[in-house]
Amino acid sequence: ILGTPLTLVDLLQARAAHQPDSIAYIFLENGETEAGALTYRQLAHKARAVAAYLQRLGAAGERVLLVYPPGLDYLVAFWGCLFAGSVAVPVYPPDPARLNRTLPRFESIVRAAQPKIALTTSGILALASKLIPPGAASSKGDRTPSGKLHWAATDPLGEADAEGWQFPSSTPE
């Protein structure tokens, strides 16, 4: 790797260029069973796809809610936020079996963070559409400053989605 990367985005880009097939992350389900892995190339490519999507939504500098269970999808979305210059706000999805406990916690985080965008998986997006009315940040009628929370699934994003990515104007600070 030539020079010292200044940001995490620079670092991942350098690793993807110089060690593309090396494993960046392995997800261990229950801390023991390998459930998937990402190479630096795969991670950088998928992060650019999420970032390009966020950039098309004007999310640079904005808070983005990451509604994922533990796993590689969460890591891709987190890196996608870094690649877009967005602020990641991780939150566990509400548990349908314990909604009276998990939904108020979720709503509280949404109210406090005031995100404009919520990223998740297709499965959780289908569940969210049943739990949270479109445009609402909570069942109490609280809304983001723009009046609505834009929900999107990142798992359908593919190779073509990464093409519009622009390097963010973030600095090491």
Side-chain angles (χ1 to χ4, degrees):
I1 299 175
L2 299 175
T4 303
L6 298 177
T7 67
L8 289 172
V9 173
D10 294 333
L11 179 61
L12 181 53
Q13 291 281 82
R15 293 282 172 113
H18 298 287
Q19 300 171 287
D21 298 320
S22 293
I23 299 294
Y25 290 103
I26 297 174
F27 179 67
L28 301 176
E29 198 164 315
N30 298 322
E32 297 178 12
T33 308
E34 185 174 326
L38 288 171
T39 65
Y40 287 110
R41 177 190 348 227
Q42 291 169 323
L43 178 58
H45 183 76
K46 290 176 182 247
R48 282 193 300 271
V50 171
Y53 179 77
L54 289 171
Q55 288 174 336
R56 285 192 298 276
L57 294 176
E62 297 291 339
R63 291 177 205 96
V64 176
L65 203 62
L66 303 183
V67 188
Y68 293 89
L72 297 175
D73 287 332
Y74 164 77
L75 287 170
V76 168
F78 177 81
W79 279 96
C81 285
L82 294 178
F83 272 56
S86 300
V87 178
V89 179
V91 61
Y92 282 109
D95 181 350
R98 302 179 306 157
L99 274 183
N100 44 336
R101 186 173 130 204
T102 59
L103 187 57
R105 183 177 188 283
F106 176 84
E107 291 173 331
S108 175
I109 292 169
V110 172
R111 277 193 307 275
Q114 292 292 301
K116 292 192 176 190
I117 300 164
L119 298 179
T120 192
T121 63
S122 297
I124 294 173
L125 182 60
L127 176 64
S129 66
K130 293 175 185 160
L131 297 175
I132 302 168
S138 81
S139 60
K140 295 178 178 71
D142 298 305
R143 298 179 182 271
T144 59
S146 66
K148 62 183 176 177
L149 181 59
H150 178 90
W151 285 82
T154 55
D155 45 332
L157 296 176
E159 194 168 318
D161 296 300
E163 302 213 3
W165 176 69
Q166 300 287 319
F167 200 88
S169 60
S170 56
T171 66
E173 291 76 38

